[in-house]
Amino acid sequence: MPGKSFFIDTSLCTACKGCQVACKQWHDLPAEKTVNRGTYQNPADLSFVTYKLVRFNETVVDGKLKWLFFPDQCRHCLEPPCEMTAEDPGAIFRDPATGAVLFTAYSKDIDTQEVIEACPYNIPRTARDGTLAKCDMCNDRVRNGLLPACVKTCPTGAMNFGDRDEILVMAKNRLATVKKTCPKAKLLDPDDVRVIYLVTEDPMLYHSFAVASNSAFDISRKVALNKLLRPLTRLTAGL
Amino acid sequence: MHMKVTRRKFIQISGAAAAGLAATGLGFDLSPVRAHAQMLKTKYAKETTTICPYCAVGCGAIVHTSKKGDGRVINIEGDPDHVINRGSLCSKGAGLSGLIENENRLLEPMYRAPYANEWKQVSWGWALTEIAKRVKATRDASFERKNAKAQVVNRTTAIASVGSSAMDNEECWTYQALMRALGLVYVEHQARI
């Protein structure tokens, strides 16, 4: 699988929010009015003008306080459900060179609610006129040899970007190192997405959409694909 | 076995298998859209290096300004060639362009008279003259040539200077020279850069 990928090592993230601000800065997106909600997570959620958000979560694990940081963004799925749902490459398409999943201004003409619900990571957001927006992998920068704004600005090395095969090697090597001190460490959906997170605790403690989980089903993704959805798969494949 | 399957959950588990097949080969020519997405906003900008004014780390940054005559800032990002930060910037540094290109930025001096409860816009000429007048009056009234032991001190203790942390080394030298020439001894500065 060619193209580009991110490796986001949350074990190195200090939640400085450099990535969040650099993203806004590069995309010329306005600030949002926020209120003190007792957390540094500001704004409260992703929006049409916030593509990148550092999520803060305080939790107690084994009697110890953990402050977990999760720099949330579009995962640029290898096979994106949003693209499939839209069925309109004028509105949602992939750049074959980088693998970036991109929304255009024509996204206001598709069923945006369907697209939003299709996203396993709860990423797309609409403007008032219905246009969809999310992280674009800084595809303009990447196609011109620059790093995405969030990766370039990261002072700790938590955000990494490069050719997918190299990023996968980096992620696996780093996981081996981190596992020595954090046995619960793991990579999130590394075979399905281009934005691979390394977490050191249960991903659900970071963010309820950290992984494309189907815990509500109590069945694994594989089982679901094999048993439940064969008719659908066949139907779609026949298109 | 009965399960309630919401639309989101349904697509989540089915999406990965079906997506690749569904969206290929629809035959639209997207090249204009794609070409536009690849245009870099800094392509025709002038690049100038600077130092972030915010903290003592002293990170290097590149300022992209328009060549179209107005010279406005298009983008500011970390300087990859800078020895301190090698291209990275924290959230304050990453937001540097917001210091300049900001609708809330004051462009004219504001004055609030004693006991007034409102600020009013004044001219630079008026503000600078007024400051000079008041500094001169206070300094002349409080100037001490000699202290109690008859040693020459040439000082005023009626004026103090605080700041600015955003000034660089060379600006500090000029500022310090001015303050000392006036006779100030209380010159405080949160030296950073």
Side-chain angles (χ1 to χ4, degrees):
Chain A
M1 183 66 63
K4 302 288 183 181
S5 280
F6 293 76
F7 171 51
I8 304 183
D9 184 353
T10 66
S11 73
L12 294 178
C13 179
T14 61
C16 77
K17 297 207 232 185
C19 53
Q20 193 178 316
V21 176
C23 174
K24 281 227 170 196
Q25 204 270 163
W26 178 256
H27 293 98
D28 292 315
L29 296 169
E32 290 185 68
K33 200 154 202 173
T34 58
V35 290
N36 186 346
R37 299 172 301 113
T39 167
Y40 289 113
Q41 184 181 316
N42 265 318
D45 196 13
L46 296 169
S47 77
F48 185 73
V49 293
T50 301
Y51 304 162
K52 175 97 184 172
L53 175 70
V54 180
R55 298 187 183 275
F56 290 67
N57 264 306
E58 279 181 52
T59 186
V60 175
V61 180
D62 302 329
K64 270 189 188 163
L65 177 69
K66 300 271 180 184
W67 203 10
L68 304 174
F69 308 134
F70 193 81
D72 199 11
Q73 66 175 89
C74 172
R75 312 297 198 277
H76 297 280
C77 299
L78 298 180
E79 286 161 351
C82 59
E83 185 194 42
M84 178 200 71
T85 309
E87 289 183 320
D88 178 1
I92 301 180
F93 68 100
R94 264 178 292 170
D95 182 335
T98 59
V101 180
L102 301 168
F103 291 1
T104 76
Y106 299 117
S107 60
K108 70 172 183 297
D109 302 327
I110 59 174
D111 188 341
T112 49
Q113 205 50 44
E114 293 254 298
V115 171
I116 289 167
E117 286 185 23
C119 177
Y121 302 99
N122 190 24
I123 296 295
R125 298 288 186 273
T126 46
R128 219 170 271 166
D129 71 351
T131 315
L132 282 169
K134 64 161 189 70
C135 160
D136 61 1
M137 202 194 264
C138 284
N139 206 46
D140 51 348
R141 294 176 61 96
V142 174
R143 290 293 292 258
N144 285 283
L146 298 173
L147 287 169
C150 55
V151 176
K152 173 157 184 218
T153 208
C154 181
T156 66
M159 299 286 306
N160 301 276
F161 185 83
D163 291 335
R164 180 161 175 84
D165 47 355
E166 286 168 23
I167 286 292
L168 282 171
V169 171
M170 179 192 282
K172 277 164 194 162
N173 288 344
R174 179 64 186 160
L175 177 66
T177 308
V178 175
K179 259 186 179 285
K180 288 176 196 160
T181 45
C182 307
K184 280 185 274 184
K186 65 175 189 171
L187 304 175
L188 304 184
D189 301 338
D191 301 324
D192 297 327
V193 294
R194 291 187 185 275
V195 179
I196 301 158
Y197 289 88
L198 186 155
V199 295
T200 53
E201 299 292 341
D202 173 8
M204 292 300 280
L205 296 176
Y206 291 78
H207 175 39
S208 48
F209 291 100
V211 282
S213 96
N214 39 37
S215 53
F217 286 87
D218 203 24
I219 50 171
S220 80
R221 191 183 175 109
K222 214 172 246 173
V223 171
L225 288 172
N226 286 343
K227 293 192 173 165
L228 279 177
L229 300 162
R230 231 174 240 158
L232 174 98
T233 315
R234 247 201 317 265
L235 182 76
T236 327
L239 284 175
Chain B
M1 190 164 77
H2 181 77
M3 287 176 297
K4 192 174 180 299
V5 182
T6 63
R7 178 160 181 91
R8 183 192 288 277
K9 290 293 175 190
F10 183 73
I11 296 284
Q12 279 172 19
I13 51 179
S14 64
L21 302 162
T24 49
L26 290 173
F28 286 83
D29 179 14
L30 291 166
S31 35
V33 181
R34 286 176 181 160
H36 178 71
Q38 288 154 30
M39 247 282 283
L40 214 51
K41 71 173 178 179
T42 50
K43 189 171 180 184
Y44 300 107
K46 179 187 170 190
E47 292 192 353
T48 313
T49 56
T50 190
I51 307 293
C52 174
Y54 288 134
C55 90
V57 174
C59 294
I62 298 174
V63 185
H64 292 98
T65 45
S66 167
K67 283 180 182 168
K68 273 189 297 188
D70 59 359
R72 301 310 303 179
V73 171
I74 298 166
N75 178 55
I76 302 181
E77 63 183 62
D79 180 357
D81 293 332
H82 198 274
V83 67
I84 302 285
N85 58 317
R86 297 177 190 176
S88 71
L89 286 176
C90 75
S91 47
K92 279 187 85 175
L96 264 176
S97 63
L99 180 71
I100 306 126
E101 303 300 333
N102 193 325
E103 59 179 357
N104 296 317
R105 185 181 169 197
L106 290 180
L107 299 174
E108 299 291 335
M110 305 292 283
Y111 177 67
R112 185 176 63 78
Y115 306 108
N117 55 15
E118 278 185 0
W119 294 87
K120 64 170 187 178
Q121 191 178 310
V122 293
S123 72
W124 281 105
W126 184 88
L128 290 171
T129 307
E130 195 63 22
I131 291 166
K133 247 180 356 197
R134 294 185 190 191
V135 167
K136 177 89 165 66
T138 306
R139 185 247 195 194
D140 288 354
S142 61
F143 199 75
E144 302 166 49
R145 286 199 182 284
K146 289 179 180 174
N147 65 7
K149 291 181 191 168
Q151 294 162 321
V152 176
V153 288
N154 284 333
R155 70 183 176 199
T156 172
T157 53
I159 308 175
S161 169
V162 181
S164 157
S165 59
M167 290 198 298
D168 63 33
N169 203 42
E170 290 71 20
E171 288 166 334
C172 282
W173 190 91
T174 312
Y175 187 77
Q176 174 84 347
L178 173 67
M179 294 300 115
R180 295 295 180 202
L182 288 169
L184 267 73
V185 288
Y186 302 138
V187 183
E188 189 53 84
H189 171 68
Q190 188 189 359
R192 287 174 166 190
I193 304 164

